Amino acid sequence: EPQTQADVQAIMDELRSAAFAVKSVKRTDKNRSPSPPFTTSTLQQEASRRLSFQAKRTMKAAQELYEGVEVAGHGTLGLITYMRTDSLRISEEARAAGNAFITETYGEKYLPKKPRYFKSKSNIQDGHEAIRPTTPSITPEMVKGSVTTDQYKIYKLVWERFIASLMENCLQETMKIEIVANGYVFNATGYTVKFDGFTVLYEEKGDDGKTEGAAPPPPVYRGGG
């Protein structure tokens, strides 16, 4: 391992005219599962990462969505369930409504063959469900003209996270490539998506505000350049 800038420069000089060859390519399939619906803390964290909302701003919009807003064509509706909860439980009625929306919008292949259940921590109060849309068939675009900007952003986050939690896994082909040159070994990793699954709708943001994952590698083969 190079320790200093001088070490790096010396290696670079050695590699300037070197021939690079792919020593090995390892491909494996990997399933990525969606995150569970929101709890109070995970909603605040994701709103901070995605929207740069402080917790107070997030909870104000969530409270308003829970208490009810006037939605054109629907009257006054509480758009989300109670927003102070640690539970990951959702009702079977909500699951069925979400599944129906997924099937109608994306097709049956986007529903897992076996329903996915998320387990809450054993020491929580389970009196409330996870935070979810009260009526999954009411999409964010349907309420956009009736709510404030903050309310829309929080509803969109809650709605997408809930629907995605019911969807099929994302299937990726991961690649680990080993490249050799002049006695040095370089490793590169990446993936290509074989089936997008829940990521067609929603991907969780990392702490840097970016979605998880790596750039897809170029097509390479053992012995190639």
Side-chain angles (χ1 to χ4, degrees), residues 31-56:
N31 275 304
R32 276 186 60 204
S33 299
S35 298
F38 284 124
T39 62
T40 303
S41 60
T42 56
L43 173 60
Q44 291 173 353
Q45 290 160 13
E46 190 74 344
S48 173
R49 284 190 287 251
R50 281 181 180 259
L51 308 173
S52 299
F53 279 17
Q54 293 185 341
K56 185 177 180 181

Side-chain angles (χ1 to χ4, degrees), residues 9-221:
Q9 190 58 54
I11 293 170
M12 294 291 289
D13 291 341
E14 286 186 55
L15 292 171
R16 236 173 258 286
S17 59
F20 288 76
V22 177
K23 182 180 179 183
S24 66
V25 180
K26 184 179 180 182
R27 292 180 171 88
T28 54
D29 284 347
K30 175 186 175 184
N31 275 304
R32 276 186 60 204
S33 299
S35 298
F38 284 124
T39 62
T40 303
S41 60
T42 56
L43 173 60
Q44 291 173 353
Q45 290 160 13
E46 190 74 344
S48 173
R49 284 190 287 251
R50 281 181 180 259
L51 308 173
S52 299
F53 279 17
Q54 293 185 341
K56 185 177 180 181
R57 184 177 177 184
T58 297
M59 297 310 290
K60 178 178 183 294
Q63 177 83 34
E64 292 162 352
L65 291 169
Y66 167 69
E67 290 178 349
V69 293
E70 185 77 23
V71 179
H74 294 277
T76 301
L77 296 176
L79 287 173
I80 66 171
T81 55
Y82 191 57
M83 65 290 156
R84 296 196 179 277
T85 177
D86 292 325
S87 175
L88 298 179
R89 178 177 60 82
I90 62 171
S91 72
E92 289 306 310
E93 292 82 3
R95 181 185 300 278
N99 288 348
F101 178 87
I102 293 164
T103 302
E104 183 178 339
T105 307
Y106 298 101
E108 288 189 5
K109 67 180 181 178
Y110 280 88
L111 272 184
K113 294 178 178 63
K114 184 179 179 182
R116 183 184 295 105
Y117 290 87
F118 297 98
K119 189 174 181 181
S120 303
K121 294 178 181 177
S122 58
N123 59 343
I124 67 150
Q125 296 291 323
D126 200 36
H128 298 284
E129 295 181 59
I131 304 172
R132 63 165 178 84
T134 53
T135 310
S137 60
I138 298 180
T139 67
E141 288 308 306
M142 291 169 66
V143 306
K144 190 172 185 179
S146 303
V147 298
T148 67
T149 300
D150 280 9
Q151 289 169 353
Y152 169 74
K153 289 179 177 179
I154 294 300
Y155 183 66
K156 186 172 187 289
L157 207 56
V158 169
W159 185 89
E160 288 183 350
R161 175 84 159 220
F162 169 73
I163 296 294
S165 75
L166 301 175
M167 296 177 79
E168 182 59 279
N169 292 339
C170 171
L171 179 61
Q172 300 171 341
E173 182 185 69
T174 63
M175 291 178 64
K176 182 175 181 181
I177 306 163
E178 195 174 62
I179 301 166
V180 293
N182 203 17
Y184 294 101
V185 180
F186 300 88
N187 290 300
T189 58
Y191 69 85
T192 53
V193 176
K194 298 176 77 172
F195 177 65
D196 51 8
F198 74 93
T199 65
V200 71
L201 177 64
Y202 180 89
E203 283 205 68
E204 191 170 6
K205 297 282 186 179
D207 289 333
D208 58 0
K210 298 178 181 178
T211 52
E212 296 178 359
V220 293
Y221 302 93

